[in-house]
Amino acid sequence: ARVAVLVSGRGSNMAALIDAARDPAYPAEIVAVISNRPGAGALVIAARAGIATAVVDHKAYPDRTSFDAELDRVVRDFQPDVVCLAGFMRILTDGFIEGWGDRLINIHPALLPSFKGLDTHARALEAGVRLHGCTVHVVTPEMDSGPVIAQAAVPVLDGDDEAALAARVLAAEHRLYPHALALWATGALRLTNGRVTGADAA
Ligand code: GRF
């Protein structure tokens, strides 16, 4: 499967996907990395890995609809089968999301449906949960609420601060995203009534 990755920042999840895809046996190929921020570190990592990059700077567009229209055009130019959001920090319009159907996936740094939105690690510490983690899910118009493809849990330890917990979750993200993308890209999974099935056998 051809995969485009959308980023806004440092790109460590994108790098994990690129690394996984180096294996000829991996079922997906990263064909493009597209950022809404010209200064994103992810662009440097991708270019060094020999992957095509593009920037669609949201500041150059008057509204979300015109930004998303251009983003959609640029992404489609690379003819991806799957689009992965990896630290992409813009809310996408319903129109963009619906145009990709179940071919748009995201990684969220929490065990959904807990801790949707931002500042997940601080909120997990505040809530006193003992397990935290990350989720790869299909993107739907309702934020952080689409069908769950895969999750990984990590413990919350007594001495954790936000940075320590974030680092533990991030390490889990770097294992989970390549795994989940592989499951999704091979067509091993099915969406039935808004739920993902087939991951047990995979
Ligand atoms: C990750 O924690 C991801 O789950 C969240 O934003 C962070 C992006 O980090 N959505 P990176 O750019 O992949 O390093």
Side-chain angles (χ1 to χ4, degrees), residues 40-75:
L43 292 169
V44 178
I45 301 172
R48 275 199 201 124
I51 291 170
T53 62
V55 173
V56 183
D57 186 347
H58 63 274
K59 292 193 177 131
Y61 299 86
D63 51 37
R64 285 193 196 281
T65 305
S66 55
F67 167 71
D68 279 15
E70 177 62 5
L71 181 65
D72 197 66
R73 194 192 64 71
V74 170
V75 174

CSV table of all heavy atoms in Angstrom, one decimal, residues 40-75:
chain,number,residue,atom,x,y,z
A,40,ALA,N,8.8,22.3,10.2
A,40,ALA,CA,8.7,21.0,11.0
A,40,ALA,C,10.0,20.1,10.8
A,40,ALA,O,10.5,19.9,9.7
A,40,ALA,CB,7.5,20.2,10.5
A,41,GLY,N,10.5,19.7,12.0
A,41,GLY,CA,11.6,18.8,11.9
A,41,GLY,C,11.4,17.5,11.1
A,41,GLY,O,12.3,17.0,10.6
A,42,ALA,N,10.2,17.1,11.1
A,42,ALA,CA,9.8,15.9,10.4
A,42,ALA,C,10.2,16.0,8.9
A,42,ALA,O,10.6,15.0,8.3
A,42,ALA,CB,8.3,15.7,10.4
A,43,LEU,N,10.2,17.2,8.3
A,43,LEU,CA,10.5,17.4,6.9
A,43,LEU,C,12.0,17.0,6.7
A,43,LEU,O,12.3,16.5,5.6
A,43,LEU,CB,10.2,18.8,6.4
A,43,LEU,CG,8.7,19.2,6.4
A,43,LEU,CD1,8.5,20.7,6.2
A,43,LEU,CD2,8.0,18.4,5.3
A,44,VAL,N,12.8,17.4,7.6
A,44,VAL,CA,14.3,17.2,7.5
A,44,VAL,C,14.5,15.7,7.5
A,44,VAL,O,15.3,15.1,6.7
A,44,VAL,CB,15.0,17.9,8.6
A,44,VAL,CG1,16.5,17.6,8.5
A,44,VAL,CG2,14.7,19.4,8.6
A,45,ILE,N,13.9,15.0,8.5
A,45,ILE,CA,14.1,13.6,8.7
A,45,ILE,C,13.6,12.8,7.4
A,45,ILE,O,14.3,11.9,6.9
A,45,ILE,CB,13.3,13.0,9.9
A,45,ILE,CG1,13.8,13.7,11.2
A,45,ILE,CG2,13.5,11.5,10.0
A,45,ILE,CD1,12.9,13.4,12.4
A,46,ALA,N,12.5,13.2,6.9
A,46,ALA,CA,11.9,12.6,5.7
A,46,ALA,C,12.8,12.8,4.5
A,46,ALA,O,13.1,11.8,3.7
A,46,ALA,CB,10.5,13.1,5.4
A,47,ALA,N,13.3,14.0,4.3
A,47,ALA,CA,14.1,14.3,3.1
A,47,ALA,C,15.4,13.5,3.2
A,47,ALA,O,15.9,13.0,2.2
A,47,ALA,CB,14.4,15.8,3.1
A,48,ARG,N,16.0,13.4,4.4
A,48,ARG,CA,17.2,12.6,4.6
A,48,ARG,C,17.0,11.1,4.3
A,48,ARG,O,17.9,10.4,3.8
A,48,ARG,CB,17.7,12.7,6.0
A,48,ARG,CG,18.6,13.9,6.2
A,48,ARG,CD,19.4,13.7,7.5
A,48,ARG,NE,19.8,15.1,8.0
A,48,ARG,CZ,19.6,15.6,9.2
A,48,ARG,NH1,19.0,14.8,10.1
A,48,ARG,NH2,20.0,16.8,9.5
A,49,ALA,N,15.8,10.7,4.5
A,49,ALA,CA,15.4,9.3,4.2
A,49,ALA,C,15.1,9.1,2.7
A,49,ALA,O,14.7,8.0,2.3
A,49,ALA,CB,14.3,8.8,5.1
A,50,GLY,N,15.1,10.2,2.0
A,50,GLY,CA,14.9,10.1,0.5
A,50,GLY,C,13.4,10.1,0.2
A,50,GLY,O,13.0,9.6,-0.9
A,51,ILE,N,12.6,10.6,1.1
A,51,ILE,CA,11.1,10.5,0.8
A,51,ILE,C,10.7,11.9,0.4
A,51,ILE,O,11.1,12.9,0.8
A,51,ILE,CB,10.4,10.1,2.1
A,51,ILE,CG1,10.7,8.6,2.3
A,51,ILE,CG2,8.9,10.3,2.0
A,51,ILE,CD1,10.3,8.1,3.6
A,52,ALA,N,9.8,11.9,-0.6
A,52,ALA,CA,9.2,13.2,-1.1
A,52,ALA,C,8.5,13.9,0.0
A,52,ALA,O,7.8,13.3,0.8
A,52,ALA,CB,8.3,12.9,-2.3
A,53,THR,N,8.7,15.2,0.0
A,53,THR,CA,8.1,16.1,1.0
A,53,THR,C,7.3,17.2,0.3
A,53,THR,O,7.6,17.6,-0.8
A,53,THR,CB,9.1,16.7,2.0
A,53,THR,OG1,9.9,17.5,1.3
A,53,THR,CG2,9.9,15.6,2.8
A,54,ALA,N,6.3,17.7,1.0
A,54,ALA,CA,5.6,18.9,0.6
A,54,ALA,C,5.1,19.7,1.8
A,54,ALA,O,4.9,19.1,2.9
A,54,ALA,CB,4.4,18.5,-0.3
A,55,VAL,N,4.9,21.0,1.6
A,55,VAL,CA,4.4,21.8,2.7
A,55,VAL,C,3.1,22.5,2.1
A,55,VAL,O,3.1,23.0,1.0
A,55,VAL,CB,5.4,22.9,3.0
A,55,VAL,CG1,4.8,23.9,4.0
A,55,VAL,CG2,6.7,22.3,3.6
A,56,VAL,N,2.1,22.4,2.9
A,56,VAL,CA,0.9,23.2,2.7
A,56,VAL,C,0.7,24.1,4.0
A,56,VAL,O,0.2,23.6,5.0
A,56,VAL,CB,-0.4,22.4,2.4
A,56,VAL,CG1,-1.6,23.3,2.1
A,56,VAL,CG2,-0.1,21.4,1.2
A,57,ASP,N,1.2,25.3,3.9
A,57,ASP,CA,1.2,26.2,5.1
A,57,ASP,C,-0.2,26.7,5.4
A,57,ASP,O,-0.7,27.5,4.6
A,57,ASP,CB,2.2,27.3,4.8
A,57,ASP,CG,2.4,28.2,6.0
A,57,ASP,OD1,1.7,28.1,7.0
A,57,ASP,OD2,3.4,29.0,6.0
A,58,HIS,N,-0.7,26.3,6.5
A,58,HIS,CA,-2.1,26.7,6.8
A,58,HIS,C,-2.3,28.2,6.9
A,58,HIS,O,-3.3,28.8,6.7
A,58,HIS,CB,-2.6,26.0,8.1
A,58,HIS,CG,-1.9,26.4,9.3
A,58,HIS,ND1,-0.7,25.8,9.7
A,58,HIS,CD2,-2.1,27.4,10.2
A,58,HIS,CE1,-0.3,26.3,10.8
A,58,HIS,NE2,-1.1,27.3,11.2
A,59,LYS,N,-1.1,28.9,7.2
A,59,LYS,CA,-1.2,30.4,7.4
A,59,LYS,C,-1.5,31.1,6.1
A,59,LYS,O,-1.9,32.2,6.0
A,59,LYS,CB,0.1,30.9,8.0
A,59,LYS,CG,0.3,30.4,9.4
A,59,LYS,CD,1.4,31.2,10.1
A,59,LYS,CE,1.5,30.7,11.6
A,59,LYS,NZ,2.9,30.4,11.9
A,60,ALA,N,-1.3,30.4,5.0
A,60,ALA,CA,-1.5,31.0,3.6
A,60,ALA,C,-2.9,30.9,3.2
A,60,ALA,O,-3.2,31.3,2.1
A,60,ALA,CB,-0.5,30.3,2.6
A,61,TYR,N,-3.8,30.3,4.0
A,61,TYR,CA,-5.2,30.1,3.5
A,61,TYR,C,-6.1,30.8,4.5
A,61,TYR,O,-5.9,30.8,5.7
A,61,TYR,CB,-5.5,28.6,3.5
A,61,TYR,CG,-4.6,27.9,2.5
A,61,TYR,CD1,-3.3,27.5,2.8
A,61,TYR,CD2,-5.0,27.8,1.1
A,61,TYR,CE1,-2.4,27.0,1.9
A,61,TYR,CE2,-4.1,27.3,0.2
A,61,TYR,CZ,-2.8,26.9,0.6
A,61,TYR,OH,-2.0,26.4,-0.3
A,62,PRO,N,-7.2,31.4,3.9
A,62,PRO,CA,-8.1,32.2,4.8
A,62,PRO,C,-8.9,31.4,5.7
A,62,PRO,O,-9.4,31.9,6.7
A,62,PRO,CB,-9.0,33.0,3.7
A,62,PRO,CG,-8.9,32.1,2.5
A,62,PRO,CD,-7.5,31.5,2.5
A,63,ASP,N,-9.2,30.2,5.4
A,63,ASP,CA,-10.1,29.4,6.3
A,63,ASP,C,-9.7,27.9,6.1
A,63,ASP,O,-8.9,27.5,5.3
A,63,ASP,CB,-11.5,29.6,5.9
A,63,ASP,CG,-11.8,29.5,4.5
A,63,ASP,OD1,-11.2,28.6,3.8
A,63,ASP,OD2,-12.6,30.3,3.9
A,64,ARG,N,-10.3,27.1,7.0
A,64,ARG,CA,-10.1,25.6,7.0
A,64,ARG,C,-10.5,25.0,5.7
A,64,ARG,O,-9.8,24.0,5.2
A,64,ARG,CB,-10.8,24.9,8.1
A,64,ARG,CG,-10.2,25.2,9.5
A,64,ARG,CD,-10.8,24.2,10.5
A,64,ARG,NE,-10.5,24.7,11.8
A,64,ARG,CZ,-9.4,24.6,12.5
A,64,ARG,NH1,-8.4,24.0,11.9
A,64,ARG,NH2,-9.2,25.1,13.7
A,65,THR,N,-11.6,25.4,5.1
A,65,THR,CA,-12.0,24.8,3.9
A,65,THR,C,-11.1,24.9,2.7
A,65,THR,O,-10.8,24.0,2.0
A,65,THR,CB,-13.4,25.3,3.5
A,65,THR,OG1,-14.3,25.2,4.6
A,65,THR,CG2,-14.0,24.6,2.3
A,66,SER,N,-10.5,26.1,2.6
A,66,SER,CA,-9.6,26.3,1.5
A,66,SER,C,-8.2,25.7,1.8
A,66,SER,O,-7.6,25.1,0.8
A,66,SER,CB,-9.3,27.8,1.2
A,66,SER,OG,-8.9,28.5,2.4
A,67,PHE,N,-7.8,25.7,3.0
A,67,PHE,CA,-6.6,24.9,3.4
A,67,PHE,C,-6.8,23.4,3.1
A,67,PHE,O,-5.9,22.8,2.5
A,67,PHE,CB,-6.2,25.1,4.9
A,67,PHE,CG,-5.2,24.2,5.4
A,67,PHE,CD1,-3.9,24.3,5.0
A,67,PHE,CD2,-5.5,23.2,6.3
A,67,PHE,CE1,-2.9,23.4,5.5
A,67,PHE,CE2,-4.6,22.3,6.8
A,67,PHE,CZ,-3.3,22.4,6.4
A,68,ASP,N,-7.9,22.9,3.5
A,68,ASP,CA,-8.1,21.4,3.4
A,68,ASP,C,-8.2,21.1,1.9
A,68,ASP,O,-7.8,20.0,1.5
A,68,ASP,CB,-9.4,21.0,4.1
A,68,ASP,CG,-9.1,20.8,5.6
A,68,ASP,OD1,-8.0,21.2,6.1
A,68,ASP,OD2,-10.0,20.2,6.3
A,69,ALA,N,-8.8,22.0,1.1
A,69,ALA,CA,-8.9,21.7,-0.3
A,69,ALA,C,-7.5,21.5,-1.0
A,69,ALA,O,-7.3,20.6,-1.8
A,69,ALA,CB,-9.7,22.8,-1.0
A,70,GLU,N,-6.6,22.4,-0.6
A,70,GLU,CA,-5.3,22.4,-1.2
A,70,GLU,C,-4.5,21.2,-0.6
A,70,GLU,O,-3.8,20.5,-1.4
A,70,GLU,CB,-4.5,23.7,-0.9
A,70,GLU,CG,-3.1,23.7,-1.4
A,70,GLU,CD,-2.9,23.6,-2.9
A,70,GLU,OE1,-3.9,23.6,-3.6
A,70,GLU,OE2,-1.8,23.5,-3.3
A,71,LEU,N,-4.7,21.0,0.7
A,71,LEU,CA,-4.0,19.8,1.3
A,71,LEU,C,-4.5,18.5,0.6
A,71,LEU,O,-3.7,17.7,0.2
A,71,LEU,CB,-4.4,19.7,2.8
A,71,LEU,CG,-3.7,18.6,3.6
A,71,LEU,CD1,-2.2,18.7,3.6
A,71,LEU,CD2,-4.3,18.5,5.0
A,72,ASP,N,-5.8,18.4,0.4
A,72,ASP,CA,-6.3,17.2,-0.3
A,72,ASP,C,-5.7,17.0,-1.7
A,72,ASP,O,-5.4,15.9,-2.1
A,72,ASP,CB,-7.8,17.3,-0.4
A,72,ASP,CG,-8.5,16.0,-0.6
A,72,ASP,OD1,-8.4,15.1,0.2
A,72,ASP,OD2,-9.1,15.8,-1.7
A,73,ARG,N,-5.6,18.1,-2.4
A,73,ARG,CA,-5.1,18.1,-3.8
A,73,ARG,C,-3.6,17.6,-3.7
A,73,ARG,O,-3.2,16.7,-4.5
A,73,ARG,CB,-5.2,19.5,-4.4
A,73,ARG,CG,-4.9,19.5,-5.9
A,73,ARG,CD,-4.7,21.0,-6.4
A,73,ARG,NE,-3.5,21.6,-5.9
A,73,ARG,CZ,-2.3,21.3,-6.2
A,73,ARG,NH1,-2.1,20.3,-7.1
A,73,ARG,NH2,-1.3,21.9,-5.6
A,74,VAL,N,-2.8,18.2,-2.8
A,74,VAL,CA,-1.4,17.8,-2.7
A,74,VAL,C,-1.2,16.3,-2.3
A,74,VAL,O,-0.4,15.6,-2.9
A,74,VAL,CB,-0.7,18.8,-1.7
A,74,VAL,CG1,0.7,18.2,-1.4
A,74,VAL,CG2,-0.6,20.2,-2.3
A,75,VAL,N,-2.1,15.9,-1.3
A,75,VAL,CA,-2.0,14.5,-0.9
A,75,VAL,C,-2.3,13.6,-2.0
A,75,VAL,O,-1.6,12.6,-2.3
A,75,VAL,CB,-2.9,14.3,0.3
A,75,VAL,CG1,-2.9,12.8,0.7
A,75,VAL,CG2,-2.4,15.1,1.5
